[in-house]
Amino acid sequence: MPWAGRAARVSRLRPQSPEDLPTREDLLLAAAYVLDAQYNRNVPFETSPQAIRLYYFYNHWTTQVATYFFICVDLALALFEEPALFPLPFLATSIAEILCLTAFFGRLIHFAKITPQMVFWKDTKNICIMVTIVLTLIDLIIYGSLESINVRSIRWSRALRPVFLINFPESRQIRRAFRSLRNTLPDILYVFLLFMFSVLMFSLMALKLFGDRGLKTAEGSPYFENILEIAFELYVLVTTANSPDVMMPAYDFNWWYSLYFIIYIIINTYIFMSVFLAVVYNNYRKHLKNEIRKLAYLKRHKMIAAFNVLKVKVGTDFVVEEAQWRRLAQVVAPDMSSAHLELLLRISDEGQKGHVDKMNFLRLADLLNIHVVTISIKRHPLEAWMPRVYQSSASLLVQKMVRHRIFVWVFDVIILINAIFIALDEKNSLISYAEWLFLSLYIIEILLKLYTYDPKAYFERKQFWNWFDTLIIIAALVATVANATIQSAREYNSQQILDIVLILRILRLLRVIVSIRRFRVIVTTLINIGPAMLTFGGLVFVVYYVFAIVGMEVFHGKVQFFDPNFTAPDALVCGNPALQGSAFARGRYCKNNFNDLASAFTVLTELTVVNQWHVLANGFALVTHQAAKLYFILFHIVVVILIVNIFIAFVLEAFFVAYSLEKSEVETAIEKKIQELGVGIQEEELQDGKLTDDVDTKDRGLHGDDGDNKRKALKGLYCRIASKKYRTVDALLQQMFESEIAPEDEGPALDEILNFSPSDMCPKNPNFENSA
């Protein structure tokens, strides 16, 4: 028997000495290395048994959730502290903050227990966290002491709270975004200085051209007579927020003066802003490439360390025995099914020799990151209940029609026609009756699909669009019936229910977008960049939070909002006489203030859009000092020029990668092995309702005696690679770089990897270099 021969062969390969077998501690250490490689963690930890167990607890999801909970509580305290959206006593907020600081300090101590002391004290993240904790405690003591004697002071340490969000190891994606921002600054600084030189040069020209001509603005103030005011107005003109208002006094005086502003906009808005984007994009790609290269080599370094822990010598080669490989996989992925585990083992042990060599072992982290879905193949319930009817010629014809691609196209066309009817007059009786027709067709579509496909498979957890279609149709049916019932009562017509019905009908159009391949590629790319978009969202949140805290301390109470029906004179000037006659007061911008955290975030969002941001800046400058404009200019530089351009660079790179990258080598190996075993299902067969009960086993090698044996063993189970639309951009880029690293290349030493710089030499990757 083949299995007996294989067992005998394995027994001959095993080492003779039991002392050479890896222990339980070795297995946990190797599993820690593999988990680090799988999740791209770079935590240098001690290898003692106690440190390893502490490391597992450090990375456990409960401790990570607890850390993020305390971070969220610490950041949310700004909602309850003065100036507060929901005021709480200082004692309550200070106790909550001390509890958060205690949790952060405990997390830091936990980290110190698992890392070497020299590594811990050289890590900038740990120093930042400790310094922030100490400064926050000092601020709490000073503020509390002054509060006790009724002296108001500034809580300056609140602006440091995002340090905890950035510097804990779980936030490495946000740290990477900040590194991109930091690394871009030196190169963009020279472009920015040249840009500011251009603005100042044009400001001097404007002072000489328009300063002595007695021109007035629309508000009646002198036009371009102050160099600082001119520089600010021209900086605003770069964002086009005050165009063409800033030009009109000079343009009204002489037509030729418009050429000055046209030349200025061409040079500074279109050329310099494009150069900013080009510099940011070029540096972003350069440093991203360095980050990916570092991650790739660190992952390989971790996997080699895991192999060295478990390896045994067989003949002249070092290998990992099958039993140890199984134990390792079960420790790393305890929820993995036995079928999935056997599949990965068959891929790793190519020759079925009873052990895994080094090259195949190094792929374990990649194998674990590829989700293999096991699908159960069952007969339709109607086939079991009434086989003759379900297998009749008429029934088979209906099933064939539903499975055909034309069936999908027909209902896509019906949805488009329905969209046209939605745009027409709803009060027309013909249109109203037509909607019942469309709704009936949609119900028939669902019923035909449920007749053709197994209902359990149709409503499988991952069949998102099937759930979406069914829920939309049911909701539309319920809302339409409710609306018809209300109208028939002739007491009132519920416009809200009618609006819900219209929205639900329109949402059906999303199904057409997914059915068109080119649209699906774009949607897939958007899903790919989703996680990284959240990372940039965290970056923006951190910047917003710091600016919001500073703005609350500087501008709190300077602008007040009054109810629109309030007729007091203060309501017209937002509670501050300094705003009398200003564009801020005329525009009724009183609610755009820094009187609480929510209002501050709203103002910062408006500044990010840049439209009318100069009106907000002028308003707060009037109620404080003209130097306050520097706050708004700095925010524009950091968010609009730097962060937004980095985000654009990321989106561009993500689209280039998504359009150019094919399957990874590891995914191809898994799919090939799935097909060799005769248990494969292509992803296309699951599109548009082509569910797994439609699989032809004869086309998959399941014929003859071997096929009968396989069918008995499988018991209706098939496998496929999970949809590739859920792969992140970082993973795609890392695959591109790893494909250029030779399998036998162990990479440089760990210290050298950690000190990589973009100027270092790296393997040539034409796809990565030329993806743009």
Side-chain angles (χ1 to χ4, degrees):
M1 294 186 56
W3 288 101
R6 181 185 174 193
R9 184 166 62 251
V10 170
S11 65
R12 289 195 301 269
L13 294 174
R14 288 177 178 169
Q16 300 297 320
S17 175
E19 291 79 8
D20 294 337
L21 290 174
T23 63
R24 174 67 178 174
E25 287 73 16
D26 292 335
L27 189 67
L28 291 175
L29 176 59
Y33 285 135
V34 174
L35 285 169
D36 281 0
Q38 182 182 359
Y39 296 109
N40 283 325
R41 291 196 294 252
N42 179 30
V43 179
F45 57 89
E46 295 279 4
T47 56
S48 64
Q50 182 182 5
I52 293 172
R53 288 183 173 83
L54 285 173
Y55 186 56
Y56 274 99
F57 182 63
Y58 183 85
N59 290 316
H60 197 271
W61 68 269
T62 54
T63 58
Q64 295 184 2
V65 169
T67 301
Y68 278 113
F69 170 77
F70 283 109
I71 289 174
C72 291
V73 171
D74 190 48
L75 293 173
L77 287 176
L79 295 170
F80 307 98
E81 299 167 329
E82 291 295 334
L85 185 63
F86 310 104
L88 284 178
F90 170 74
L91 181 62
T93 57
S94 60
I95 291 175
E97 187 163 15
I98 290 174
L99 289 176
C100 293
L101 295 178
T102 303
F104 299 150
F105 186 71
R107 185 71 168 167
L108 199 63
I109 294 297
H110 191 171
F111 188 71
K113 292 289 186 181
I114 62 176
T115 56
Q117 288 190 3
M118 292 299 295
V119 174
F120 179 83
W121 292 107
K122 287 183 179 180
D123 195 335
T124 309
K125 301 189 299 294
N126 303 328
I127 305 301
C128 288
I129 293 173
M130 285 189 290
V131 170
T132 304
I133 291 175
V134 171
L135 292 177
T136 303
L137 289 174
I138 293 174
D139 185 32
L140 274 173
I141 294 172
I142 295 175
Y143 186 87
S145 302
L146 294 176
E147 185 78 10
S148 62
I149 57 175
N150 297 322
V151 176
R152 187 184 182 279
S153 61
I154 296 175
R155 279 296 316 276
W156 47 267
S157 68
R158 296 194 299 170
L160 302 177
R161 287 173 181 168
V163 169
F164 300 118
L165 176 62
I166 298 171
N167 286 291
F168 276 110
E170 294 83 359
S171 305
R172 56 186 176 274
Q173 296 290 345
I174 297 180
R175 283 198 300 277
R176 187 183 304 172
F178 266 99
R179 281 197 299 268
S180 298
L181 181 63
R182 183 190 63 199
N183 294 329
T184 305
L185 284 176
D187 294 295
I188 205 174
L189 178 62
Y190 296 102
V191 181
F192 183 77
L193 291 176
L194 187 59
F195 163 71
M196 291 306 300
F197 177 77
S198 173
V199 172
L200 291 175
M201 287 288 294
F202 275 92
S203 300
L204 289 173
M205 293 181 194
L207 181 64
K208 300 302 180 182
L209 283 174
F210 313 122
D212 297 330
R213 301 189 182 274
L215 301 179
K216 301 289 183 180
T217 63
E219 291 80 13
S221 57
Y223 180 71
F224 279 13
E225 292 186 354
N226 184 294
I227 185 65
L228 295 179
E229 193 68 30
I230 294 172
F232 177 75
E233 291 294 337
L234 291 182
Y235 184 88
V236 173
L237 182 57
V238 172
T239 68
T240 70
N242 60 352
S243 178
D245 296 347
V246 69
M247 181 184 71
M248 293 312 298
Y251 185 39
D252 291 339
F253 182 77
N254 193 316
W255 180 89
W256 289 100
Y257 287 147
S258 64
L259 296 177
Y260 165 87
F261 294 95
I262 293 173
I263 294 172
Y264 176 85
I265 291 174
I266 292 173
I267 294 176
N268 293 282
T269 300
Y270 292 105
I271 295 179
F272 268 107
M273 291 299 109
S274 299
V275 170
F276 274 127
L277 176 59
V279 171
V280 169
Y281 178 59
N282 180 63
N283 283 276
Y284 172 80
R285 291 188 72 246
K286 181 174 64 176
H287 292 287
L288 176 64
K289 174 181 172 182
N290 185 57
E291 291 275 354
I292 297 301
R293 181 165 61 108
K294 184 184 297 185
L295 286 176
Y297 276 122
L298 283 173
K299 184 168 77 171
R300 176 155 297 193
H301 187 274
K302 292 281 187 179
M303 292 305 301
I304 292 173
F307 178 82
N308 291 334
V309 171
L310 298 179
K311 68 182 181 181
V312 293
K313 193 168 186 179
V314 175
T316 59
D317 298 325
F318 285 100
V319 297
V320 175
E321 286 195 321
E322 177 185 312
Q324 296 298 331
W325 189 97
R326 286 178 179 273
R327 293 174 62 197
L328 175 66
Q330 289 171 352
V331 172
V332 174
D335 298 329
M336 183 186 298
S337 66
S338 58
H340 189 180
L341 178 64
E342 183 66 25
L343 175 65
L344 298 186
L345 179 59
R346 294 284 295 273
I347 295 169
S348 300
D349 186 7
E350 293 180 344
Q352 305 302 300
K353 301 174 182 177
H355 61 257
V356 179
D357 60 24
K358 183 176 182 179
M359 288 179 58
N360 283 300
F361 184 88
L362 296 183
R363 298 196 304 176
L364 178 58
D366 294 320
L367 290 174
L368 294 172
N369 278 328
I370 296 176
H371 300 290
V372 178
V373 180
T374 304
I375 304 167
S376 178
I377 309 301
K378 297 180 180 179
R379 291 193 304 169
H380 197 287
L382 293 178
E383 185 178 3
W385 296 340
M386 42 183 184
R388 290 186 179 180
V389 175
Y390 194 76
Q391 294 296 334
S392 64
S393 57
S395 176
L396 292 176
L397 178 62
V398 171
Q399 296 174 41
K400 185 177 180 180
M401 290 173 54
V402 174
R403 290 191 179 101
H404 203 279
R405 182 69 181 176
I406 295 179
F407 181 83
V408 179
W409 292 345
V410 168
F411 276 92
D412 286 346
V413 173
I414 290 174
I415 294 173
L416 291 175
I417 296 174
N418 191 187
I420 297 174
F421 274 75
I422 291 174
L424 300 177
D425 187 7
E426 282 285 326
K427 296 180 180 180
N428 189 309
S429 59
L430 178 62
I431 304 299
S432 179
Y433 290 135
E435 184 50 42
W436 283 101
L437 173 63
F438 287 120
L439 194 57
S440 301
L441 290 174
Y442 297 149
I443 295 173
I444 292 172
E445 177 196 12
I446 295 296
L447 293 177
L448 287 174
K449 288 183 176 180
L450 292 177
Y451 179 80
T452 304
Y453 306 117
D454 177 20
K456 289 185 178 179
Y458 187 82
F459 291 116
E460 190 183 43
R461 183 169 57 90
K462 294 184 179 296
Q463 296 292 340
F464 168 77
W465 288 110
N466 294 338
W467 280 98
F468 179 82
D469 281 349
T470 305
L471 292 176
I472 288 294
I473 291 170
I474 293 175
L477 176 63
V478 172
T480 304
V481 171
N483 186 59
T485 304
I486 292 173
Q487 288 183 347
S488 63
R490 296 184 179 180
E491 293 181 3
Y492 67 96
N493 183 12
S494 176
Q495 186 62 40
Q496 290 183 341
I497 293 181
L498 184 60
D499 292 340
I500 293 173
V501 173
L502 292 174
I503 292 172
L504 294 176
R505 293 176 198 160
I506 295 171
L507 287 178
R508 287 275 305 177
L509 295 175
L510 295 176
R511 188 65 182 85
V512 179
I513 293 177
V514 177
S515 66
I516 299 174
R517 183 177 178 276
R518 283 295 179 183
F519 289 166
R520 191 164 60 243
V521 171
I522 297 174
V523 172
T524 298
T525 305
L526 292 175
I527 294 175
N528 281 339
I529 68 177
M533 289 176 67
L534 293 177
T535 298
F536 281 95
L539 174 63
V540 171
F541 173 80
V542 168
V543 175
Y544 269 38
Y545 193 92
V546 173
F547 273 92
I549 294 298
V550 174
M552 289 162 63
E553 296 292 353
V554 176
F555 305 117
H556 165 59
K558 303 297 183 181
V559 175
Q560 299 291 335
F561 172 72
F562 294 87
D563 188 271
N565 297 324
F566 202 75
T567 58
D570 286 347
L572 300 178
V573 292
C574 304
N576 198 313
L579 294 174
Q580 182 72 41
S582 66
F584 189 97
R586 290 198 307 270
R588 304 292 293 169
Y589 288 175
C590 305
K591 206 166 188 177
N592 296 322
N593 54 58
F594 289 87
N595 295 343
D596 56 68
L597 188 65
S599 298
F601 266 65
T602 302
V603 173
L604 296 179
T605 304
E606 294 171 347
L607 294 175
T608 304
V609 179
V610 305
N611 188 37
Q612 298 292 86
W613 75 275
H614 62 294
V615 176
L616 296 172
N618 283 321
F620 285 101
L622 289 174
V623 299
T624 53
H625 189 275
Q626 289 300 312
K629 293 179 180 178
L630 295 175
Y631 169 90
F632 297 91
I633 293 175
L634 182 61
F635 179 84
H636 179 267
I637 293 171
V638 173
V639 175
V640 179
I641 293 181
L642 285 178
I643 295 180
V644 171
N645 279 330
I646 287 178
F647 179 72
I648 293 173
F650 166 77
V651 172
L652 290 174
E653 190 68 19
F655 265 83
F656 293 147
V657 171
Y659 272 83
S660 62
L661 188 65
E662 298 296 331
K663 298 176 184 177
S664 72
E665 181 183 350
V666 180
E667 283 178 325
T668 305
I670 293 182
E671 290 181 337
K672 182 180 178 182
K673 183 60 66 175
I674 289 175
Q675 297 302 322
E676 288 177 357
L677 298 176
V679 293
I681 292 179
Q682 297 296 331
E683 185 178 351
E684 290 76 12
E685 294 170 357
L686 301 175
Q687 296 290 340
D688 304 316
K690 291 187 178 181
L691 299 173
T692 54
D693 63 329
D694 193 29
V695 174
D696 184 359
T697 56
K698 292 182 180 180
D699 293 337
R700 303 193 175 279
L702 297 181
H703 51 82
D705 295 335
D706 291 338
D708 293 335
N709 293 331
K710 286 181 180 179
R711 280 195 293 271
K712 291 178 182 178
L714 293 171
K715 296 180 181 179
L717 293 179
Y718 288 84
C719 299
R720 68 176 175 89
I721 300 294
S723 177
K724 298 163 188 64
K725 67 184 179 181
Y726 299 109
R727 296 183 300 179
T728 63
V729 175
D730 284 352
L732 296 176
L733 292 174
Q734 191 166 322
Q735 288 173 11
M736 293 173 70
F737 188 87
E738 288 174 341
S739 65
E740 295 300 319
I741 304 177
E744 65 278 2
D745 182 10
E746 297 189 3
L750 180 60
D751 291 340
E752 187 178 347
I753 295 173
L754 296 175
N755 293 322
F756 273 159
S757 67
S759 59
D760 294 333
M761 294 297 293
C762 62
K764 176 67 175 177
N765 187 327
N767 287 332
F768 195 95
E769 291 288 339
N770 301 324
S771 62

